[in-house]
Amino acid sequence: MRTAATTPERDLSGYLLVFMAGVLWSTVGLGIRLIEDAVVWQILFYRSLAMSVFLYAVIQMRTGRAPLSLIRAMGWPGLIAGAALVAAYSGAIFALQTTSVANAMMLFAAAPLMAALLGRVLLGEHVRRATWIAMLIALCGIAVMVWDKTSGAALKGNIAALGSALGFAVFTVALRRGKSVEMMPAVLLSGLIGTVVMAAICATLGLSLALSPRDAGIASGMGVFQVGAGLILYTLGSRTVPAAELTLLSMAEVVLGPVWVWLFLGETAAASTLAGGAILLLAIAGNALSGARRKVPPPIP
């Protein structure tokens, strides 16, 4: 007689770790708003430098191996993943400086669907019908969000936010291509690349790397606590949380991001941003939940 396997008891600590990672990531908009004078390239230099030092130490302690050797072992997929993250971070901070935090955060949420599409085109991965439907719904949500923001800085911010989402999608696909299960070396590489590239950009534009203690401290803190610590929590929690539910839990970043700037700085979101964001989040949640329902435990002989 064949009976269905029982579902194993869920590890609530894993869910809490992933949720807390989303909470840390959600404070990026507040951090950007608290910076007084630094521009995107200066912020990214300090954030990348602090993140690199922090992750280098963590990887060294966690693996007992030289972090640079782990980076070399990733090969071209790791290099592409690191470069894509630099593009994603650059687009994200530029977007947060030129459009509302709510608008930017909601557009960042398109990354999982972009990753699914790129995985189909570049890796030949199957895309479920529900995911195609979710992509169409998400496009409608994005259209609603940007409908009244099609000129000036707001338009540039929207394009940068979508570019950031594309960067994260490329990062995800590159990791799949390299069959890498360890995210930290790729993120460390992105920090190293970002530090060098942002220093070069600042030198080219005549921007000083000597920031006020406030701006340098906030930017460095973002590298350690938002990106670095958030990644560690996400990596640890993802060991026991199903992939579909990871998508839902990571949406805490999108939902809470606008809350912090409203709570501490009084920044509100436009009606079109809220309406389009709701449609986009509905598409992502529906896609994740439909995928979870398909995963039926195998029978026991």
Side-chain angles (χ1 to χ4, degrees):
M1 179 179 180
R2 299 164 71 92
T3 58
T6 57
T7 303
E9 184 178 354
R10 300 188 175 193
D11 182 1
L12 294 181
S13 63
Y15 286 78
L16 179 60
L17 289 172
V18 174
F19 178 76
M20 289 306 300
V23 172
L24 289 178
W25 290 334
S26 71
T27 61
V28 63
L30 179 61
I32 294 299
R33 288 293 186 268
L34 291 175
I35 287 178
E36 295 177 336
D37 301 314
V39 298
V40 56
W41 314 119
Q42 295 168 313
I43 296 170
L44 277 170
F45 172 79
Y46 276 88
R47 196 176 86 156
S48 298
L49 180 61
M51 180 181 69
S52 298
V53 173
F54 178 69
L55 287 181
Y56 188 96
V58 169
I59 293 172
Q60 179 74 55
M61 291 186 296
R62 185 168 177 258
T63 66
R65 298 174 58 187
L68 295 181
S69 68
L70 295 176
I71 290 176
R72 286 194 296 269
M74 292 189 300
W76 282 105
L79 179 60
I80 293 172
L85 272 185
V86 174
Y89 296 153
S90 302
I93 292 183
F94 181 84
L96 288 166
Q97 287 193 317
T98 52
T99 189
S100 72
V101 172
N103 210 67
M105 286 291 186
M106 296 297 180
L107 290 174
F108 295 160
L113 299 180
M114 290 183 177
L117 182 59
L118 286 177
R120 176 71 181 91
V121 174
L122 300 177
L123 304 181
E125 294 182 345
H126 174 68
V127 178
R128 298 180 298 111
R129 180 182 301 177
T131 300
W132 288 116
I133 295 173
M135 288 181 188
L136 293 175
I137 296 174
L139 286 175
C140 294
I142 291 172
V144 171
M145 291 173 65
V146 304
W147 187 260
D148 59 345
K149 306 175 186 70
T150 56
S151 62
L155 176 60
K156 294 179 181 178
N158 289 331
I159 294 173
L162 289 174
S164 176
L166 180 60
F168 280 111
V170 172
F171 167 71
T172 301
V173 173
L175 290 181
R176 291 178 188 168
R177 176 66 178 176
K179 308 296 183 184
S180 174
V181 296
E182 179 60 76
M183 296 171 60
M184 290 189 194
V187 181
L188 171 59
L189 177 60
S190 77
L192 297 174
I193 294 173
T195 301
V196 174
V197 170
M198 299 311 151
I201 291 176
C202 287
T204 301
L205 298 178
L207 297 171
S208 173
L209 294 180
L211 302 182
S212 68
R214 173 192 173 95
D215 284 1
I218 292 174
S220 299
M222 289 168 60
V224 173
F225 297 105
Q226 289 177 347
V227 183
L231 174 67
I232 292 172
L233 294 177
Y234 185 87
T235 301
L236 294 175
S238 63
R239 295 175 179 174
T240 58
V241 179
E245 296 181 43
L246 281 174
T247 303
L248 293 176
L249 287 171
S250 65
M251 285 166 58
E253 175 188 6
V254 176
V255 175
L256 292 176
V259 172
W260 302 133
V261 292
W262 168 75
L263 188 62
F264 291 99
L265 303 177
E267 180 178 309
T268 57
S272 59
T273 295
L274 296 176
I279 295 172
L280 178 58
L281 294 180
L282 178 64
I284 295 170
N287 180 60
L289 292 174
S290 67
R293 284 197 301 268
R294 287 170 56 89
K295 297 177 181 179
V296 180
I300 298 177

